[in-house]
Amino acid sequence: MSLGFRFSEYIPAPEENNGFESLLKLFLQLITITSGDVAEALAWLNSLDKQYQLTSDQYGMGDFIEDLKMKGYLDEDPQRQGTFKITAKSEQQIRKSALEEIFGKLKKGGKGTHATPHTGVGDEASTDQREYRFGDAVEQISMTDSLRNAQINHGLSDFMLTEQDLEVTETEHKTQASTVLMIDISHSMILYGEDRITPAKKVAMALAELVKQKYPKDTLDVIVFGNDAWQIEIKDLPYLEVGPYHTNTVAGLELAMDILRKRKTPNKQIFMITDGKPTCLKEGLRYYKNSFGLDRKVVNKTINLAAQCRKLKIPITTFMIATDPYLQQFVDEFTKVNNGQAYYSSLKGLGHLVFKDYRQNRKRTF
C-alpha cells in the first residue's frame, strides 16, 4: 500500500564556501590593481577586512589563503615560505571576471565567427528565404516550405514537386578578424591622482576573454607603448605596469602594422587606448622627446602612419581617455587621415565602447 507523498518544511542548504567566493572576487580585483603583487593585494584585503568585517569566526583570512592554494589560485615559493604568486588559473579567472564586469554575462556562441552584410552560399542560416537558383546547395532547400508551395501550386489530388516550388534558406557569409590592441603605458596613465592603467588592463582582459569564448577564430594581439613598443602575452596583462615613459605612438603603430601584415584574415583593425598626445620618437639609438604642446615633428610622423594604415585598409579606433581641447585637435586630424573612429571616453564607459566598436567592425567589409 502506497503512503503517498510526505511534505516537510524546506530548509535550504547553506552555500558552500560563500565566504571564499566573495573574497575571491575582491582578491582578483586587487591583484589587477597591484599588477600581480600577491603580498600587496593580501595586505589591502586585510585592511578592508578590518574596516568592513569581510571574514567571520567561521571563515577567516587564513582559511581563505589556504583555499586559494588548495584550489589552485596561488603557488607558494618552496624556497621562501609565505611568498606567493598567482597561477594560470588565477590569470584566466581575472579575465573572466573582467569580461563579466565590463561586457556583462555573454553566452558562448557557435564557432565564433562574425557576420558580414553579404548573403549567398555561406556558413550560417539566416531568417531570409528565396526561390531556388541553379547552384544552390541541396542542404539549403527548406523542405517544409517547398512542399507547401507544391500543394498550393498543384493541389493535393495530383501531387508533384517542381523546381519552381523549391524555396531555399539564405545563408550568411562569415568572416574572421585580426585585432591589435595598443595600450599606452606612459607615466601620464597614473598622474593627477587617477589610475587609468587598471581600467585599460581590465578592458584588454575582457576583450581577450570575449574573443576566446565567442570568436575563437579571430586573433587578438596586445602591444604596449611608452618610449618603445613591444608585444605582450594575454596572460601577462594582470602584471602590466606604467613606467617613467613618454608616448611613442609611432613605435606602437609600426609594431601593430608589422603584426597585422602577417595575418591572413580579411578584416584587420587597430584599437588604441591612450590618454595623451605622441611625445616621443626613436631616431637610431637616441630618443627625440618633447612633452610641450603638439610637436609637429612627432605628430607628422604619426599622421603619416595613419595614412599608411588607411592604404592597407586597417582602420584605427582611438579611445582617448582625456578631453583636453588641444588633444582633440590631434585626434580629429589623425582619425580623418585614417578614416577611422575616435571616442573621447571616461574610464567608466571605456569597456562598453570597445565592445560596441569591436562588434560593429566585425560586420564591415573593409
Side-chain angles (χ1 to χ4, degrees):
M1 179 177 175
S2 174
L3 296 176
F5 296 100
R6 293 184 177 181
F7 297 92
S8 61
E9 181 184 0
Y10 172 70
I11 302 175
E15 293 186 22
E16 184 180 357
N17 276 345
N18 184 48
F20 173 79
E21 295 299 332
S22 58
L23 287 172
L24 178 63
K25 290 180 181 179
L26 186 53
F27 174 71
L28 294 176
Q29 292 275 357
L30 294 173
I31 280 290
T32 304
I33 295 170
T34 62
S35 299
D37 190 324
V38 175
E40 187 177 1
L42 289 175
W44 286 13
L45 193 58
N46 271 308
S47 297
L48 290 171
D49 182 31
K50 290 179 183 178
Q51 187 172 358
Y52 298 103
Q53 291 79 51
L54 303 177
T55 61
S56 65
D57 293 340
Q58 289 73 38
Y59 193 81
M61 194 61 66
D63 297 315
F64 174 62
I65 295 173
E66 286 302 313
D67 279 347
L68 286 174
K69 292 190 291 182
M70 184 179 66
K71 294 175 183 292
Y73 290 98
L74 287 184
D75 276 340
E76 187 170 6
D77 188 341
Q79 305 298 324
R80 299 174 60 191
Q81 190 174 6
T83 302
F84 303 102
K85 64 178 182 178
I86 63 174
T87 63
K89 181 178 180 179
S90 288
E91 293 164 355
Q92 183 182 27
Q93 188 61 47
I94 291 170
R95 295 196 299 271
K96 287 183 177 179
S97 298
L99 176 62
E100 291 181 3
E101 175 188 344
I102 294 173
F103 296 153
K105 293 183 178 179
L106 301 173
K107 293 181 180 178
K108 187 175 182 181
K111 294 185 179 179
T113 51
H114 306 278
T116 69
H118 307 293
T119 57
V121 182
D123 302 307
E124 184 174 300
S126 73
T127 56
D128 299 327
Q129 290 186 322
R130 59 169 173 79
E131 73 283 357
Y132 175 83
R133 298 170 189 161
F134 178 76
D136 286 334
V138 174
E139 56 266 24
Q140 284 183 259
I141 297 175
S142 172
M143 291 307 300
T144 301
D145 294 302
S146 298
L147 291 172
R148 182 198 61 205
N149 293 340
Q151 291 172 359
I152 293 172
N153 295 335
H154 312 294
L156 293 174
S157 58
D158 187 19
F159 178 78
M160 61 184 298
L161 182 67
T162 68
E163 183 178 331
Q164 285 69 38
D165 301 323
L166 297 178
E167 195 166 322
V168 300
T169 301
E170 283 277 28
T171 55
E172 296 177 344
H173 287 293
K174 292 294 179 175
T175 185
Q176 294 170 262
S178 292
T179 302
V180 172
L181 177 62
M182 295 172 51
I183 303 176
D184 184 349
I185 57 167
S186 62
H187 189 52
S188 60
M189 292 288 278
I190 55 169
L191 280 180
Y192 316 117
E194 185 173 39
D195 177 10
R196 296 171 176 175
I197 191 62
T198 297
K201 285 195 292 186
K202 285 186 177 182
V203 168
M205 289 187 289
L207 185 59
E209 196 64 18
L210 173 73
V211 171
K212 182 179 178 182
Q213 288 189 11
K214 197 170 179 66
Y215 310 118
K217 290 186 179 180
D218 284 8
T219 65
L220 176 67
D221 296 281
V222 181
I223 64 177
V224 295
F225 62 105
N227 289 349
D228 298 286
W230 59 95
Q231 188 172 0
I232 64 171
E233 298 291 332
I234 297 296
K235 66 180 181 64
D236 295 328
L237 279 167
Y239 312 103
L240 188 60
E241 294 182 280
V242 168
Y245 306 127
H246 284 68
T247 309
N248 192 343
T249 310
V250 167
L253 290 172
E254 288 177 339
L255 179 55
M257 291 168 66
D258 287 343
I259 291 172
L260 290 175
R261 283 191 189 100
K262 299 173 185 176
R263 299 298 183 191
K264 304 304 181 184
T265 50
N267 289 347
K268 302 176 182 182
Q269 65 176 342
I270 296 171
F271 284 176
M272 178 168 64
I273 301 175
T274 182
D275 72 335
K277 61 186 183 297
T279 60
C280 177
L281 291 174
K282 191 169 185 181
E283 300 177 322
L285 298 177
R286 63 180 290 270
Y287 293 95
Y288 174 85
K289 303 173 183 177
N290 184 6
S291 300
F292 299 98
L294 287 167
D295 189 310
R296 292 312 305 180
K297 180 176 180 178
V298 181
V299 168
N300 287 344
K301 188 74 179 292
T302 310
I303 297 295
N304 289 341
L305 285 177
Q308 288 183 37
C309 284
R310 181 174 181 174
K311 290 180 180 178
L312 294 171
K313 296 183 179 181
I314 301 175
I316 303 169
T317 304
T318 304
F319 300 92
M320 178 64 71
I321 47 180
T323 56
D324 308 62
Y326 78 101
L327 288 179
Q328 187 169 346
Q329 177 188 348
F330 158 70
V331 174
D332 286 347
E333 183 181 3
F334 179 85
T335 303
K336 184 177 180 181
V337 168
N338 175 257
N339 196 30
Q341 296 187 80
Y343 296 98
Y344 299 88
S345 169
S346 66
L347 293 170
K348 186 176 180 181
L350 180 61
H352 295 286
L353 286 175
V354 171
F355 178 44
K356 176 184 175 183
D357 206 66
Y358 186 83
R359 290 201 305 181
Q360 285 179 343
N361 283 357
R362 302 288 45 73
K363 296 177 183 179
R364 294 182 189 173
T365 302
F366 297 122

